Amino acid sequence: MEVKRLLNGSYIARSNSYGVLSEGAAIVVDCGKYDLALSNFLESNSNKARLILLTHAHFDHIMGARELREKTGVPILIGKTEAASMCDPDYNLSGRLRREIEKFEPDYTVEDEQTITVGDLKIKAYEMPGHTKGSMVYLIGDNLFSGDVLFRNSIGRTDLMSGNDEEMRASLDRIMWIFGDDIKVFPGHDEETTIGAERRNNPYLR
Ligand SMILES: [Zn+2]
């Protein structure tokens, strides 16, 4: 299995989009804007099981998902809690933009500790509230897609609608408890890291 960053989200209003590729599956993680890099990735793997996987409902992670699904026919999955609020412009923060997100429904939802199979890949989902009420992190092989919960040397903000400091603390404790040092972390913004590096270096985890 390989993970590549298809879109680079190192600044505000842009998030990372990852492509996860194996012999039997092609998965896009997060889709803050529709981009040919994403549809080409899915189209060039149309012989495999495919999925658009969303970590949470902030606009910079979901805004291109509806169009990506339209162009490729690939279904969308998001956490169950998040799905209930994802089209609320206050919740997804798109109310702050000049154009709101066109409403759309996910094809599938997952709950905490649920495992789903996509082709030859297993995705284990964990609900980790704090940044948003229904933020999910997803483990695929040794790779953790941490959305805006855990960043390299930082953590997601908790001051936005549905954010919560105490829940964030509990989620981070849980992440550090569940995952070993060798797990690679692919966050929603900025560069990849590992659980071990964050355990040693992240000032928010001390
Ligand atoms: Zn966010």
Side-chain angles (χ1 to χ4, degrees):
M1 182 203 340
E2 60 170 320
V3 179
K4 31 185 159 185
R5 186 151 64 164
L6 299 174
L7 289 183
N8 181 335
S10 53
Y11 52 94
I12 291 179
R14 261 288 192 91
S15 67
N16 291 328
S17 284
Y18 298 102
V20 183
L21 192 63
S22 69
E23 222 156 273
I27 300 168
V28 166
V29 182
D30 281 347
C31 185
K33 67 164 203 158
Y34 173 77
D35 191 285
L36 271 180
L38 304 179
S39 53
N40 286 345
F41 173 79
L42 291 172
E43 295 294 29
S44 62
N45 292 289
S46 59
N47 57 330
K48 302 178 180 179
R50 298 176 298 168
L51 184 68
I52 300 165
L53 184 64
L54 303 177
T55 58
H56 66 294
H58 281 158
F59 72 89
D60 55 329
H61 296 256
I62 69 168
M63 201 147 82
R66 189 188 53 81
E67 191 175 357
L68 185 60
R69 173 171 65 186
E70 235 168 63
K71 298 245 159 80
T72 60
V74 174
I76 294 171
L77 181 148
I78 193 168
K80 192 176 180 186
T81 306
E82 211 66 351
S85 310
M86 64 185 280
C87 292
D88 176 348
D90 292 326
Y91 191 92
N92 65 32
L93 306 179
S94 70
R96 300 177 175 197
L97 303 175
R98 280 216 197 98
R99 69 191 171 108
E100 288 184 8
I101 299 180
E102 231 179 287
K103 291 188 175 20
F104 67 97
E105 296 290 325
D107 300 278
Y108 307 108
T109 61
V110 275
E111 296 177 60
D112 188 38
E113 301 219 345
Q114 197 178 338
T115 300
I116 58 151
T117 302
V118 179
D120 57 348
L121 294 182
K122 286 205 185 320
I123 303 173
K124 182 143 189 195
Y126 298 88
E127 190 172 84
M128 296 286 182
H131 177 66
T132 64
K133 191 164 49 129
S135 275
M136 305 300 284
V137 304
Y138 299 108
L139 185 72
I140 310 177
D142 292 333
N143 308 299
L144 183 70
F145 296 88
S146 65
D148 286 359
V149 179
L150 178 63
F151 297 126
R152 191 179 63 176
N153 287 328
S154 188
I155 60 173
R157 51 195 286 192
T158 56
D159 60 331
L160 301 165
M161 186 181 171
S162 93
N164 181 298
D165 246 347
E166 261 168 54
E167 287 177 352
M168 182 60 126
R169 189 88 350 250
S171 291
L172 292 166
D173 284 350
R174 192 169 166 230
I175 286 174
M176 288 299 137
W177 173 257
I178 295 174
F179 303 110
D181 285 355
D182 293 342
I183 298 294
K184 287 188 203 137
V185 178
F186 296 89
H189 301 272
D190 299 323
E191 300 303 315
E192 64 176 87
T193 180
T194 64
I195 291 290
E198 294 318 299
R199 213 186 294 281
R200 288 189 302 276
N201 305 327
N202 193 320
Y204 296 93
L205 299 179
R206 287 189 191 127

